[in-house]
Amino acid sequence: MINDRLTAKQAAEISDANSAMSDVNQIIQSIKEVAQKGERNLIVKAYQFGSGECYTTEDKYPTRCKFILKALRELGYSAQVRSETHQFVDIWLEISW
């Protein structure tokens, strides 16, 4: 008999949360680097933010993006997905402090 059952869904959620936390740590490192140059904002296109997956309302963002946004906002950062439409749509995460 298996005492501690861990479903595949639960395992995936744990993996995703750890991966997203790693993403947050990398973003924080980037923030530190630009803050040391006297800048007060950072534009990020990685971590799915530059893809069309975030070209929707925030409640429909991928789980990874929602986790990153929540973590940054809890740390006091302003974090918003922005976009500009030209011939193609340009999408990014803008973080400011």
Side-chain angles (χ1 to χ4, degrees):
M1 176 146 184
I2 300 173
N3 291 334
D4 292 325
R5 291 183 178 236
L6 179 68
T7 66
K9 181 180 177 187
Q10 291 169 321
E13 288 171 355
I14 292 168
S15 178
D16 290 347
N18 284 322
S19 176
M21 196 64 226
S22 175
D23 296 343
V24 171
N25 289 334
Q26 290 173 16
I27 291 169
I28 296 297
Q29 183 59 40
S30 296
I31 290 170
K32 183 178 180 181
E33 290 169 10
V34 298
Q36 289 173 334
K37 296 176 186 174
E39 297 178 29
R40 297 197 46 102
N41 69 352
L42 174 68
I43 291 177
V44 176
K45 292 188 178 183
Y47 315 107
Q48 293 180 289
F49 287 106
S51 72
E53 294 175 279
C54 290
Y55 192 59
T56 185
T57 57
E58 190 168 326
D59 62 316
K60 296 178 183 171
Y61 290 174
T63 302
R64 178 185 193 187
C65 296
K66 288 184 202 178
F67 182 93
I68 293 168
L69 287 169
K70 182 178 184 228
L72 291 170
R73 290 171 179 160
E74 286 176 354
L75 291 170
Y77 294 97
S78 171
Q80 302 292 326
V81 174
R82 304 278 188 212
S83 65
E84 285 184 349
T85 305
H86 300 286
Q87 183 174 358
F88 300 99
V89 177
D90 192 16
I91 306 168
W92 66 91
L93 170 63
E94 186 170 299
I95 306 163
S96 58
W97 52 93

